[in-house]
Amino acid sequence: MSTSPQGYTDRFERYADRHPRVVDAVLVLVLMACAIVGSGLTRPGAAPPQRDTTVLLVMGAACLALFRHRSHPRAVTVVNAMCIVFVTALEYVLTPLLLAPVMAAMYWLTTHTGLRTARFYSVTTAAALMAASALFDPTYAASPVPRSIGYCFWLLLPLAAGSMTRLRRAYVASVQARAEHAERTRDEEARRRATEERMRIARELHDVVAHHLALANAQAGTAAHFALTDPRRTKEILTSLTDTTSSALRELKTTLGLLRHDSTPAPASLEPSPGLARLPELVSTCSSAGLTVTVTTAGEPRPLTSGGDLTAFRIVQESLTNATKHAAADSAHVHLAYEDARLLITVTNEAPYGTTDAAPAVPRQGFGIMGMRERAHTVGGSFRAGPRPGGGFEVAAGLPLPPATPEASSKATDSATGEGT
């Protein structure tokens, strides 16, 4: 528990917010006691004033008016100013005890309305007090400057205290607003990250499931077609079908393994994310499903970032999957063009021979093309997909390449030379 003055102030304000009427009643009683005591004080060598009923009623009315300081701060200040001017006209000495009610009214006026309004009322009240003292106090003419300075000091003091209170409340309010904004921003950021993660997982699952199921369906159909006429080829296709389903299970296991939110490390059996290095495997799988794929490379091959490499592979994979499911073509072409700052990927399939009058079936703008576009945009690339003028369908994507280094260029050149196309 804090024992500093600031801690006591905070506790008092919290209690005042919960029980405002109780605090107001206590303050009014204290101010009324101060006024009663102040009405009995006099100047040295002068007879004490008579505490008649009039002054007690006037000061009582000034104190009772303070109960309305929250709803009518200006009216309360005017009532207190008139009462203290009336007491001055009765030739009472204006001590801080008698000025306490009007000082309290000035303080609350400052906290409720602002410094400019309170300054106007304070200056007006001080001028009224000096005028009343000049008219009804025979001793005022002997020392007008010190008395006037005293009036101004006691009436400007609550303005300073009220301004400090307003600044402190504004500071506390700004701190609370910043905390609420930070909490709201944190929640929004968490929701945004969760949405992005769901979209990423949905894209991965779609690419894995759609690709392998499409190939498995094509391989099963081809095997059924050759089951009676070519048993050897049927056996090869069924073997490829087994490899396709095994690959699908491995990629599903890898993707679902990423959904773990506990602190346990991922199993060692999980494979790394696929990239363009697995392009020959993808071409071989598509060939077993009846789609002949050719791959050409232009420019000096350079490694991509991990995200860009996965994006490039998924775009080629989804494009070949769409060609297998939707297009009437039996061949597709993949072209990789390495430029200075980006990799251009173009996947095309042409109309089958003898069907130049009509374009082949075009994949509808479903989750596959949407996922490819989102992947390309996520890594800062571009994407375009649509029918070709001469028939067929084309998917084109541009992915940024990291800055080339001599070592990376040498490794990429050696890899391209060793693997071939």
Side-chain angles (χ1 to χ4, degrees):
M1 182 179 296
S2 176
T3 58
S4 62
Q6 188 65 43
Y8 286 121
T9 302
D10 294 339
R11 284 170 16 188
F12 176 77
E13 289 186 355
R14 288 195 296 267
Y15 182 83
D17 292 337
R18 293 193 302 267
H19 309 284
R21 295 300 179 187
V22 176
V23 174
D24 290 348
V26 173
L27 291 177
V28 168
L29 290 176
V30 171
L31 293 174
M32 190 173 294
C34 293
I36 293 174
V37 174
S39 63
L41 299 179
T42 185
R43 301 179 188 86
Q50 297 295 326
R51 291 182 179 174
D52 54 8
T53 307
T54 303
V55 69
L56 296 180
L57 290 177
V58 170
M59 296 308 300
C63 293
L64 292 177
L66 296 174
F67 279 110
R68 310 294 295 177
H69 71 87
R70 289 184 175 84
S71 57
H72 301 85
R74 294 177 178 84
V76 170
T77 304
V78 171
V79 170
N80 275 267
M82 294 174 61
C83 291
I84 199 64
V85 169
F86 183 77
V87 171
T88 305
L90 296 178
E91 299 182 2
Y92 282 83
V93 180
L94 292 184
T95 62
L97 294 175
L98 279 179
L99 291 173
V102 73
M103 291 172 62
M106 291 291 179
Y107 170 80
W108 282 319
L109 180 68
T110 307
T111 58
H112 294 324
T113 62
L115 183 59
R116 178 177 299 180
T117 302
R119 189 185 295 117
F120 171 77
Y121 280 84
S122 179
V123 171
T124 304
T125 303
L129 289 179
M130 287 185 284
S133 298
L135 291 176
F136 300 102
D137 189 354
T139 63
Y140 180 80
S143 56
V145 175
R147 298 277 292 277
S148 299
I149 293 176
Y151 295 156
C152 294
F153 172 78
W154 291 113
L155 293 177
L156 292 177
L157 185 63
L159 270 65
S163 298
M164 294 178 59
T165 301
R166 281 178 60 86
L167 291 175
R168 182 176 178 277
R169 290 177 180 176
Y171 172 75
V172 172
S174 65
V175 170
Q176 293 176 349
R178 287 197 298 269
E180 293 174 358
H181 177 71
E183 184 70 21
R184 185 168 57 253
T185 304
R186 185 164 53 249
D187 294 341
E188 292 175 355
E189 180 67 16
R191 286 193 295 268
R192 185 185 65 82
R193 290 180 179 272
T195 301
E196 291 179 352
E197 185 66 14
R198 287 196 299 269
M199 294 297 296
R200 186 189 67 81
I201 295 172
R203 287 195 300 266
E204 288 292 328
L205 291 177
H206 174 272
D207 292 343
V208 172
V209 174
H211 170 70
H212 289 93
L213 286 183
L215 290 180
N217 180 68
Q219 290 171 337
T222 306
H225 178 72
F226 290 105
L228 299 179
T229 59
D230 195 345
R232 184 184 62 82
R233 186 173 182 181
T234 301
K235 183 178 179 181
E236 294 176 355
I237 295 175
L238 291 179
T239 302
S240 300
L241 177 60
T242 303
D243 295 338
T244 301
T245 54
S246 299
S247 178
L249 291 175
R250 286 196 303 270
E251 290 202 30
L252 281 176
K253 184 178 180 181
T254 301
T255 304
L256 296 177
L258 298 177
L259 298 178
R260 286 180 171 271
H261 293 290
D262 54 9
S263 58
T264 57
S269 60
L270 295 183
E271 297 182 353
S273 300
L276 291 179
R278 291 180 55 180
L279 196 55
E281 177 185 343
L282 178 62
V283 171
S284 176
T285 305
C286 292
S287 299
S288 65
L291 181 66
T292 303
V293 182
T294 58
V295 181
T296 59
T297 303
E300 183 179 359
R302 301 214 316 264
L304 288 84
T305 61
S306 58
D309 200 17
L310 174 62
T311 298
F313 178 81
R314 290 304 188 195
I315 289 177
V316 175
Q317 182 187 56
E318 182 62 25
S319 300
L320 296 179
T321 301
N322 287 339
T324 303
K325 294 191 299 182
H326 302 290
D330 56 1
S331 64
H333 180 68
V334 179
H335 181 68
L336 305 177
Y338 290 87
E339 297 182 350
D340 293 338
R342 63 174 182 168
L343 168 63
L344 296 180
I345 303 173
T346 306
V347 182
T348 58
N349 62 78
E350 299 177 354
Y353 298 109
T355 59
T356 56
D357 295 336
V362 177
R364 62 185 177 89
Q365 299 292 317
F367 293 111
I369 293 180
M370 183 189 305
M372 288 189 287
R373 180 178 291 106
E374 290 175 352
R375 284 183 180 276
H377 292 169
T378 299
V379 297
S382 59
F383 179 82
R384 176 179 55 83
R388 301 179 63 195
F393 198 81
E394 180 179 85
V395 174
L399 305 181
L401 287 171
T405 59
E407 295 180 359
S409 300
S410 177
K411 291 181 180 179
T413 304
D414 295 342
S415 176
T417 305
E419 294 181 3
T421 301

